[in-house]
């Protein structure tokens, strides 16, 4: 028996996560995650700036999924104010959110396969992701930390270049997904590393509050876009990929299928994109939210992201709580990694798709 | 599978009634020391279950329980198949109270439930629900980090996100860096 420290600086931990492992040879007796190395106290920052000034903070919590995080924050403020963005803004929010979901899953795909010892897929995945980043950079000015959504709409409209680019991307990406299926998913080495390994039950997901591809890889069709519908998702036709096996392969398959579903959503939203303004007309210049507490949840790339705000009627938040999916998804690692071989635990950790700033906030 | 919301509320009320005496004492007047106290924004402990409009608030049931009712509320929601969303605190310094907020979602039904309790700010102690929801372990450690709330019966109430030797609680309203 010996203690093994994985991280905080280790390529397989995707950022600065430390896992304190008690090993019995190659087998894990106990693996305790030790987060907090990049804790920035975003929740305290919320208490010393106005509602609008806090918006850029939310895009820096999970920097791979920034659209979804800003969506939840503008959503909760709009809910408190009773503000409704115009339809064109809602459709553009859905298009950009789903593009962001694909770009986030592509980072996961490359990094996950890198964990498992396959280097080449990373180059392909980042090549595809680059096209999304270019598209989003054109309209938002940022490549990762988007601050594009505003209370009541968007900061600016999309142009024809973006619409055409997004249509071309959908046409480009579909054959790429088929290629990944043939080259990667059906690969026997990948199957041997993932099938039947790193089991997570639906009951464990419920007890730990794990969401996103983790709970959907354990056979539960829980997706915030369905159960707490927001924006114009109810008007669009898409499936929730669910795999019941609960192993690392199931979580892998959920994300791969999700990218295809996101393409479907983008295609429909582009076809239906209405004309009109992208900003509500009645947004007050100085925001004072009615006293009380409000919640708003979205389906981010890693699962359920919920913002809970408390207002005392002032221009500055009284309390901002960020409930992040990576935090809950990582919390079940100690229980589910017990007894695994070390390389299998690395595969399990990678299949959770963690973003450490999202755990630490 | 899906229980209608009024039935859920009624069952919840029946479950809590045996465990929770309705809290009687009204909150004290907020002190006027110039600091932001959030006076008037907070609902007091009343042992009440309210159905609220989801589109306006972001949850369906708003449940206020007494300090002793936290575990039985968690056990009830566990039996009904709810999942733990988050646990956090709100420092109501003006009323010298600490609010502990428990968020729950349901993996198979569209319900969102918020359970909350008030504890004295000077002795912020409440029972841990980590035995009911193991996921509460980390959320309670985080709330202890940020607010100094003590969750009695917690298996490992050590700093999670703050340094291991941290003695401060940054989300308290009187925190001085």
């Amino acid at each position: 028996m010996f203690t093994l420290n994985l991280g905080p600086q280790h390529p397989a931990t995707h950022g600065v996560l430390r896992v304190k492992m008690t090993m019995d040879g190659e087998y894990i007796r106990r693996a305790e995650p030790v987060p907090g190395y990049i804790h920035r106290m975003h929740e305290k920052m919320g208490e010393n700036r106005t509602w609008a000034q806090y918006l850029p903070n939310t895009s820096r919590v999970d920097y791979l999924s920034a659209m979804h995080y800003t969506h939840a924050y503008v959503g909760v403020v709009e809910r408190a104010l009773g503000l409704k963005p115009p339809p064109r803004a809602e459709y553009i929010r859905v298009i950009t959110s789903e593009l962001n979901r694909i770009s986030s899953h592509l980072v996961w795909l490359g990094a996950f396969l890198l964990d498992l010892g396959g280097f080449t897929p990373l180059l392909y995945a980042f090549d595809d992701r680059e096209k999304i980043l270019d598209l989003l950079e054109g309209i938002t000015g940022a490549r990762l930390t988007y601050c594009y959504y505003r209370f009541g709409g968007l900061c600016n409209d999309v142009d024809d270049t973006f619409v055409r680019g997004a249509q071309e991307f959908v046409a480009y990406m579909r054959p790429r997904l088929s290629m990944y299926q043939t080259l990667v998913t059906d690969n026997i080495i990948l199957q041997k590393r993932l099938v039947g390994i790193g089991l997570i039950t639906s009951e464990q997901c419920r007890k730990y509050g794990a969401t996103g591809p983790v709970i959907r890889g354990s056979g539960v069709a829980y997706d915030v876009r369905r159960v707490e519908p927001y924006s114009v998702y109810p008007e669009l036709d898409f499936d929730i990929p669910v795999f019941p096996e609960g192993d690392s392969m199931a979580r892998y398959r959920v994300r791969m299928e999700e990218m295809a579903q996101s393409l479907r959503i983008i295609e429909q939203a582009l076809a239906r994109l209405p004309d009109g303004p992208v900003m509500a007309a009645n947004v007050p210049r100085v925001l004072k939210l009615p006293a009380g507490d409000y919640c708003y949840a979205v389906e981010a790339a890693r699962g359920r992201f919920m913002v809970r705000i408390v207002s005392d009627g002032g221009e500055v938040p009284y309390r901002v709580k960020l409930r992040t999916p990576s935090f809950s998804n990582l919390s079940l690692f100690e229980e589910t990694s017990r007894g695994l071989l070390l390389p299998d635990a690395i595969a399990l950790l990678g299949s959770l798709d963690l973003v450490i700033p999202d755990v630490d906030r | 599978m899906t229980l209608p919301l009024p039935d859920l509320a009624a069952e919840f009320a029946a479950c809590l009634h045996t465990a929770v005496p309705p809290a009687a004492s009204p909150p004290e007047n907020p002190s006027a020391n110039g600091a932001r106290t959030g006076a008037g924004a907070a609902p007091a402990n009343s042992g009440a279950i309210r159905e609220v409009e989801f589109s306006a608030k972001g949850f369906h049931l708003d449940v206020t329980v007494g300090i002793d009712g936290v575990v039985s509320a968690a056990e009830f929601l566990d039996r009904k198949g709810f999942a733990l969303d988050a646990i956090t605190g709100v420092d109501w310094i003006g009323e010298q109270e600490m609010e502990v907020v428990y968020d729950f979602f349901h993996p198979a039904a569209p319900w969102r439930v918020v359970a909350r309790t008030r504890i004295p700010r000077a002795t912020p102690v409440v029972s841990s629900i980590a035995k009911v929801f193991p996921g509460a372990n980390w959320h309670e450690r985080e709330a202890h980090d940020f607010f100094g709330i003590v969750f009695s019966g917690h298996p490992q109430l050590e700093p999670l996100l703050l340094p291991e030797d941290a003695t401060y609680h940054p989300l308290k309203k009187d925190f001085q860096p």
Side-chain angles (χ1 to χ4, degrees):
Chain A
M1 294 266 274
F2 60 99
T3 304
L4 180 69
N5 269 295
L6 185 72
Q9 273 85 29
H10 189 278
T13 58
H14 307 285
V16 278
L17 171 70
R18 176 178 165 216
V19 185
K20 215 163 73 185
M21 292 176 164
T22 310
M23 304 293 296
D24 183 0
E26 275 282 290
Y27 290 92
I28 291 171
R29 280 287 176 87
R30 182 173 185 225
E32 186 197 350
V34 185
Y37 284 87
I38 33 174
H39 174 53
R40 292 149 293 165
M41 203 72 232
H42 275 299
E43 295 180 14
K44 185 70 177 179
M45 286 188 233
E47 295 177 11
N48 59 24
R49 57 199 68 192
T50 65
W51 295 103
Q53 284 170 338
Y54 188 63
L55 184 54
N57 281 68
T58 55
S59 68
R60 281 150 176 85
V61 176
D62 176 352
Y63 54 86
L64 295 179
S65 188
M67 285 290 182
H68 311 117
Y69 281 56
T70 49
H71 199 165
Y73 181 65
V74 298
V76 76
V77 171
E78 284 164 1
R79 177 166 277 165
L81 287 169
L83 209 59
K84 208 168 155 32
R88 184 174 173 85
E90 292 281 26
Y91 273 90
I92 296 171
R93 280 182 184 183
V94 166
I95 294 165
T96 48
S97 277
E98 294 307 318
L99 282 170
N100 197 183
R101 191 182 313 279
I102 298 174
S103 75
S104 174
H105 282 0
L106 284 169
V107 175
W108 158 81
L109 177 68
F112 182 46
L113 293 164
L114 195 60
D115 285 355
L116 300 174
F119 183 78
T120 317
L122 178 86
L123 303 173
Y124 282 73
F126 270 56
D127 196 16
D128 293 347
R129 168 182 179 254
E130 201 62 18
K131 297 191 191 312
I132 300 178
L133 297 193
D134 287 344
L135 271 176
L136 294 179
E137 187 184 13
I139 52 166
T140 69
R143 290 175 67 78
L144 282 179
T145 50
Y146 315 113
C147 198
Y148 182 52
Y149 305 164
R150 296 294 154 88
F151 309 136
L154 307 167
C155 74
N156 53 269
D157 202 349
V158 298
D159 51 12
D160 290 342
T161 320
F162 173 82
V163 174
R164 216 170 326 112
Q167 284 162 342
E168 281 164 11
F169 176 77
V170 173
Y172 162 84
M173 195 61 204
R174 286 211 167 106
R176 296 289 281 191
L177 289 177
S178 320
M179 184 190 72
Y180 290 137
Q181 169 78 31
T182 332
L183 282 183
V184 184
T185 313
D186 297 341
N187 183 307
I188 187 72
I189 302 171
L190 186 86
Q191 303 263 350
K192 295 258 186 211
R193 291 295 309 273
L194 301 184
V195 175
I197 289 167
L199 292 172
I200 301 176
T201 65
S202 59
E203 187 65 2
Q204 281 171 330
C205 290
R206 182 177 78 81
K207 291 276 191 177
Y208 282 91
T211 49
V214 178
I215 197 170
R216 292 193 287 276
S218 298
V220 182
Y222 180 81
D223 189 310
V224 180
R225 292 174 293 179
R226 276 285 151 76
V227 291
E228 293 176 25
Y230 57 96
S231 199
V232 286
Y233 282 110
E235 294 167 30
L236 301 164
D237 181 30
F238 63 102
D239 298 326
I240 309 290
V242 178
F243 288 84
E245 295 86 1
D247 55 3
S248 299
M249 194 64 190
R251 292 184 284 281
Y252 172 94
R253 285 186 189 279
V254 166
R255 292 196 186 90
M256 297 307 276
E257 291 274 319
E258 252 173 41
M259 284 196 262
Q261 294 301 324
S262 291
L263 290 176
R264 264 179 84 189
I265 297 174
I266 294 166
E267 197 171 41
Q268 292 172 53
L270 283 169
R272 293 189 195 184
L273 187 63
D275 288 328
V278 292
M279 198 68 193
N282 54 346
V283 186
R285 207 161 272 275
V286 177
L287 287 179
K288 284 186 179 175
L289 268 53
D293 59 346
Y294 309 89
C295 297
Y296 198 98
V298 298
E299 185 68 29
R302 276 149 204 85
R304 179 184 169 83
F305 174 63
M306 190 265 288
V307 184
R308 151 177 286 283
I309 56 168
V310 181
S311 168
D312 61 354
E315 288 174 38
V316 173
Y318 190 73
R319 172 89 177 91
V320 185
K321 161 72 186 170
L322 309 170
R323 183 269 188 224
T324 56
S326 294
F327 184 90
S328 301
N329 292 357
L330 176 62
S331 71
L332 52 62
F333 181 70
E334 182 173 336
E335 189 176 316
T336 50
S337 64
R338 205 166 285 142
L340 286 185
L341 279 165
L342 180 59
D344 291 344
I346 298 292
L348 167 60
L349 204 58
S351 76
L352 296 176
D353 188 15
L354 301 167
V355 163
I356 307 307
D358 188 42
V359 179
D360 290 355
R361 284 160 289 142
Chain B
M1 175 86 217
T2 313
L3 189 68
L5 193 62
D7 293 3
L8 183 74
E11 263 192 65
F12 205 165
C15 159
L16 290 177
H17 194 66
T18 51
V20 190
S25 58
E28 291 167 32
N29 280 337
S31 59
N33 55 5
R36 292 176 68 226
T37 62
N45 259 4
S46 57
I49 296 185
R50 285 191 307 130
E51 276 185 48
V52 293
E53 178 56 42
F54 181 84
S55 61
K57 294 292 268 181
F59 42 87
H60 298 95
L61 278 188
D62 190 345
V63 185
T64 311
V65 299
I67 299 176
D68 305 328
V70 170
V71 177
S72 41
E75 283 168 350
F76 171 80
L77 292 168
D78 181 36
R79 282 199 300 277
K80 291 291 163 200
F82 277 83
L84 182 68
D85 200 1
I87 302 173
T88 193
V90 184
D91 182 7
W92 298 108
I93 189 167
E95 293 147 45
Q96 284 298 307
E97 282 183 326
M98 201 70 91
E99 185 179 6
V100 192
V101 187
Y102 301 79
D103 280 287
F104 296 90
F105 68 91
H106 200 297
W111 308 135
R112 273 275 286 113
V113 173
V114 178
R116 54 180 102 227
T117 190
R118 292 293 195 103
I119 53 182
R121 199 168 175 277
T123 52
V125 183
V126 68
S127 296
S128 166
I129 61 162
K131 283 201 177 68
V132 190
F133 287 98
N137 185 320
W138 278 24
H139 289 288
E140 289 178 348
R141 279 174 74 185
E142 185 195 295
H144 178 255
D145 278 2
F146 291 175
F147 293 94
I149 298 166
V150 177
F151 293 90
S152 56
H154 190 286
Q156 186 193 0
L157 203 59
E158 298 163 7
L160 180 73
L161 298 177
L162 295 188
E164 61 264 30
D165 56 350
T167 52
Y168 45 84
H169 304 293
L171 281 181
K172 288 176 106 167
K173 290 286 176 187
D174 53 1
F175 167 72
Q176 294 294 330

